[in-house]
Amino acid sequence: MGVHYGSNRAAAEETVATIEAAGGTVFALGVELGLPGDAGALWAAFDQHAEGLDILVNNAGIGTSKSFSEIGEAEYDRLFAVNAKAPFFLTQLGVDRLRDGGRVINVSTGLTHAAVMPELIAYSMTKGALDVFTGNLSKLLGARGITVNTVAPGIVDTDVNADWLRASDEAWAGAAAMSALGRVGTPADIADVVAFLASDNGRWVTGQWLDATGGSPA
Ligand SMILES: NC(=O)c1ccc[n+]([C@@H]2O[C@H](COP(=O)([O-])OP(=O)(O)OC[C@H]3O[C@@H](n4cnc5c(N)ncnc54)[C@H](OP(=O)(O)O)[C@@H]3O)[C@@H](O)[C@H]2O)c1
């Protein structure tokens, strides 16, 4: 198994150690996405460790705090480069390494189906592109038995949200209240949906957008 990271090698090594402790064989790959040639560089690094793969999870992504009126071209371009262009070319260049019957799982956001955080307009647009990618790619790869799906999280307690989500009890309560289940999502809530799609149980699901928001507004 390959664990990809951009800048946080320590976190990747922690994940590697967890997988190894559970009996898995795993390696870490550090490649920055959002730069020209990023996908080719990642696969070149991958090929040093393995010959092919069963499952590709396009999870890496960035957000922005810049609103509609504030965001400039450079940040807009970087958002699209990391969130939309990188998964496109990672998949295009990786598809011959993916075994028949394999999986592509793209991590999007509930915000592509609900305009409840309009301040995140540019970010949501990048994920909208990813959603369109999922549907079309499922048709292109279906003949090989490869399923392609999107998992769409709501608010999850991860590093990207740490600054505001954990800043006050009010922020935490407001985020929890967005979910019908009344709590903030955890990484495991999302990982379990990804694991379902990756497993044999998910074999008859393709081209879908799976809501993993805990019932946030739609
Ligand atoms: N958290 C939420 O509330 C939420 C909600 C909806 C959707 N999502 C989506 O869920 C996915 C995971 O996000 P997260 O919440 O886990 O955020 P996170 O804690 O900030 O993690 C982002 C991940 O993407 C990698 N990454 C970011 N920019 C990269 C780059 N330029 N090159 C290579 N890798 C890069 C990071 O690697 P390094 O740390 O090594 O740089 C990290 O593994 C993202 O696609 C995000 O849009 C999150």
Side-chain angles (χ1 to χ4, degrees):
M1 181 186 294
V3 174
H4 165 253
Y5 66 94
S7 56
N8 195 341
R9 184 174 174 171
E13 282 174 355
E14 209 176 292
T15 303
V16 163
T18 304
I19 294 166
E20 281 176 341
T25 304
V26 59
F27 53 89
L29 294 173
V31 177
E32 185 178 351
L33 301 177
L35 303 174
D38 53 3
L42 188 145
W43 287 119
F46 177 91
D47 290 343
Q48 310 271 313
H49 297 273
E51 284 192 356
L53 75 162
D54 299 318
I55 302 154
L56 173 63
V57 181
N58 287 312
N59 173 67
I62 53 173
T64 179
S65 54
K66 301 273 172 52
S67 68
F68 175 61
S69 56
E70 290 168 344
I71 194 165
E73 281 192 49
E75 186 159 359
Y76 180 97
D77 286 347
R78 178 153 174 79
L79 272 179
F80 272 84
V82 175
N83 291 0
K85 184 179 174 186
F88 181 97
F89 284 102
L90 279 170
T91 311
Q92 185 206 58
L93 298 183
V95 79
D96 290 340
R97 294 169 176 84
L98 198 59
R99 74 162 168 84
D100 289 357
R103 304 278 189 266
V104 178
I105 301 166
N106 298 316
V107 181
S108 176
T109 169
L111 296 176
T112 62
H113 284 212
V116 290
M117 292 186 181
E119 66 278 16
L120 301 185
I121 184 170
Y123 166 78
S124 303
M125 287 169 64
T126 67
K127 297 294 190 173
L130 192 63
D131 292 354
V132 173
F133 178 57
T134 292
N136 286 275
L137 191 71
S138 72
K139 304 285 187 190
L140 295 173
L141 301 188
R144 290 181 51 201
I146 296 170
T147 69
V148 185
N149 291 288
T150 286
V151 173
I155 299 173
V156 185
D157 181 21
T158 64
D159 291 351
V160 76
N161 291 327
D163 283 353
W164 69 271
L165 187 56
R166 291 183 170 274
S168 67
D169 290 346
E170 290 73 25
W172 186 272
M178 287 194 75
S179 155
L181 297 173
R183 66 170 175 81
V184 174
T186 66
D189 291 331
I190 311 309
D192 283 347
V193 180
V194 171
F196 159 70
L197 290 169
S199 75
D200 191 51
N201 289 338
R203 66 194 173 278
W204 201 232
V205 180
T206 195
Q208 299 306 304
W209 187 90
L210 268 75
D211 183 302
T213 70
S216 296

